[in-house]
Amino acid sequence: MNLFTEKSKQLLHTLVHRNRVARLVTGLAVVGLLVSAVPNVHAEKSPLKSKVFDLSEPATQLVRDTELHNGTVMQSFAVDDVNKKMYVLQLMAGGQQLPGENGPVTGAQRDKNGDMTLTQLDLEGNKLGYMFLKGFGHGVQMGAEAVGDTTYLWTETDSVTEGSSGWGTQLARFPFENGKILTPDSDVLEKHQLIEGVDRTTVNIDQANGLLTMRYRQDGAFHFGVFELEKVNRKQYTPIADVPQPSVGTFQGFASYGGYLYLLEGSAYGTSGSVEPTGNTYITAVNLSTGEVVDKQLNTAGTDMTFREPEGMAVRIPDPKHPQKAELCFGFASSFTPLRLANVFSIDRLLPEQAITNDNNE
C-alpha cells in the first residue's frame, strides 16, 4: 500500500511538471508570434523619417535689415539653437589689410582667394563677434553644431579658384573664437573629405536628427550626400542617403531636416526672370529616400525690400527639448553697396508628405 502510494505521488508530480513545461512553451510561442507580428519592434527610428514643411505657408520675419561685420552680401547662415546664436557667412570686403598681408586686398581678389567673413549674432540680430576665414571658399552654405557652450561651425575649406571665385574642396569643423583669423592650415581646423574626387563642397547640419548633409559636384553634376554627424566626427564616412540635385534656377542654399532636403533658388530684382515685387525665389522640397521632388513653391517673403536676393537656409529648433517643432529658415540680402544687410524669415508648419502631394494634385 505504501509502495503504491509513493509511485502514485511520483506519477502525479511528473504529470504536473510536464503540464507546466507545456504551458511555458506555449506561452513563449505566443509571445514570439506577437513580436514577429510587429515588424522592427525593437528597431530604432530612422533619422530620415519626418514630416515635410508646408512651403505654401506665409513666412514670419526673424531678423530684419541686420548689419554684418562687412558690408558685402550675406551668403549663408546657421543657427545654434542650444546657445541661441546665429552665424552668417559673407565674402570678405575689399580694402582690408589683415596681419601678414602686404597691403589692402581688393574685393575681387578676396573672392578669387575664397576669403570669407563670419559674423556672430544673437537671435534678435545684434552683432556679437566675427572671424576671418582665408582661403575657405564661397560660403554657399554652412552649419552649426553645439557641444556644450561651444559652437562648432562647419564650412567648406581648401578653396580652389574657378572663374572669378574660390570654391571649397573639403569640409572643415572649428570652434567660434571672436576675432580669430583662420587659414586651411590652422591647427584648430578638423578637416573631413567625405567623398574623394569631388569639389564645390558645402554643408548643412541637422542637429535635431544628428545628420550632416553635403552638397558636392562630381563629374560635372551636383549631388547631396547625407551622413550621421556622430560618425563623421569619428571620421567614418558612410552615407545613409545620396540624391542628385533636381533642376533649379540660380542656386542659393540648402538645408535638411529628417527625411527631406530643401533647396533655395532665385536672384535679385532686375536680373533675368526676377521682376519686382514678385521675384523668382523658389523653395523646393526633396524626399531624401527617393530623390523625388515633393513640392516647389514661389516664395514672396520680404517683397517690400528694394534689393532682395535669396541667400542661405537653416533649420531652427526654438526649444531643443522638442526637436519635432522646427522652423525652416531662409535668408535675403537687402539694401545697397557698400552696406548690404541681412534678413531671415521662417515657416514652421510640418505635414505628412501625403498631405502635401494631395494638395498639389487638387
Side-chain angles (χ1 to χ4, degrees):
M1 189 72 175
N2 290 339
L3 180 62
F4 177 77
T5 302
E6 185 63 29
K7 287 183 177 182
S8 298
K9 288 180 179 179
Q10 290 177 359
L11 179 60
L12 181 60
H13 176 76
T14 301
L15 291 173
V16 170
H17 176 71
R18 287 177 178 173
N19 188 41
R20 287 175 177 170
V21 171
R23 282 185 294 173
L24 178 61
V25 170
T26 301
L28 290 173
V30 171
V31 170
L33 287 171
L34 288 173
V35 171
S36 63
V38 183
N40 301 323
V41 67
H42 296 300
E44 295 183 3
K45 179 185 176 183
S46 167
L48 294 181
K49 296 293 184 183
S50 69
K51 294 180 180 179
V52 60
F53 283 102
D54 180 0
L55 304 181
S56 66
E57 181 190 20
T60 299
Q61 182 137 28
L62 300 180
V63 171
R64 177 81 184 202
D65 291 338
T66 293
E67 186 174 340
L68 304 175
H69 188 69
N70 280 177
T72 53
V73 167
M74 68 182 291
Q75 292 291 318
S76 61
F77 65 99
V79 180
D80 176 350
D81 302 300
V82 175
N83 296 299
K84 308 301 181 186
K85 302 292 191 300
M86 183 180 295
Y87 297 85
V88 184
L89 272 179
Q90 56 187 150
L91 296 180
M92 198 181 297
Q96 299 178 95
Q97 181 179 355
L98 303 186
E101 296 176 343
N102 296 326
V105 180
T106 67
Q109 189 61 49
R110 292 292 189 194
D111 186 5
K112 194 172 183 179
N113 295 343
D115 295 345
M116 299 190 292
T117 300
L118 175 67
T119 304
Q120 183 193 56
L121 307 170
D122 63 22
L123 296 185
E124 285 71 49
N126 300 301
K127 180 186 166 185
L128 303 175
Y130 71 95
M131 294 179 72
F132 288 124
L133 312 176
K134 295 180 60 178
F136 274 58
H138 201 71
V140 173
Q141 194 55 61
M142 65 177 299
E145 176 191 0
V147 181
D149 58 1
T150 300
T151 304
Y152 285 86
L153 286 314
W154 286 83
T155 68
E156 63 200 281
T157 190
D158 287 27
S159 178
V160 172
T161 302
E162 181 180 329
S164 61
S165 301
W167 308 88
T169 56
Q170 294 193 62
L171 300 185
R173 176 182 185 263
F174 56 91
F176 179 82
E177 295 181 70
N178 189 28
K180 198 87 168 177
I181 301 173
L182 299 184
T183 71
D185 297 324
S186 295
D187 292 339
V188 72
L189 243 61
E190 300 173 17
K191 291 187 184 181
H192 297 271
Q193 189 171 32
L194 275 62
I195 304 173
E196 293 185 6
V198 305
D199 61 8
R200 296 287 191 99
T201 52
T202 50
V203 62
N204 170 258
I205 301 297
D206 173 5
Q207 279 224 160
N209 296 285
L211 299 176
L212 177 153
T213 301
M214 179 179 73
R215 181 180 186 247
Y216 65 93
R217 186 176 65 177
Q218 187 173 47
D219 299 327
F222 283 100
H223 301 258
F224 295 86
V226 184
F227 301 78
E228 293 175 85
L229 179 59
E230 181 184 2
K231 291 184 178 179
V232 171
N233 281 328
R234 299 201 305 263
K235 297 188 180 295
Q236 298 174 6
Y237 306 141
T238 302
I240 61 173
D242 195 286
V243 298
Q245 178 178 298
S247 177
V248 295
T250 303
F251 188 86
Q252 297 286 14
F254 71 96
S256 69
Y257 176 73
Y260 296 90
L261 171 71
Y262 302 90
L263 312 178
L264 182 68
E265 65 178 272
S267 54
Y269 291 146
T271 59
S272 179
S274 182
V275 179
E276 189 174 357
T278 306
N280 62 352
T281 297
Y282 286 86
I283 299 178
T284 299
V286 179
N287 186 314
L288 282 168
S289 296
T290 65
E292 295 180 357
V293 172
V294 174
D295 195 13
K296 183 171 184 174
Q297 298 282 344
L298 177 71
N299 187 281
T300 56
T303 52
D304 59 333
M305 298 176 188
T306 306
F307 178 88
R308 175 182 180 265
E309 184 176 10
E311 300 284 359
M313 302 191 83
V315 170
R316 177 178 175 236
I317 310 296
D319 183 354
K321 294 179 181 178
H322 300 283
Q324 76 282 4
K325 296 181 179 180
E327 297 180 5
L328 179 64
C329 304
F330 44 95
F332 288 97
S334 65
S335 196
F336 298 95
T337 302
L339 188 60
R340 302 290 192 185
L341 302 175
N343 302 264
V344 176
F345 294 82
S346 72
I347 55 177
D348 63 1
R349 188 181 186 206
L350 284 157
L351 296 172
E353 180 178 324
Q354 186 177 5
I356 298 291
T357 54
N358 285 348
D359 185 60
N360 288 343
N361 292 330
E362 289 178 356

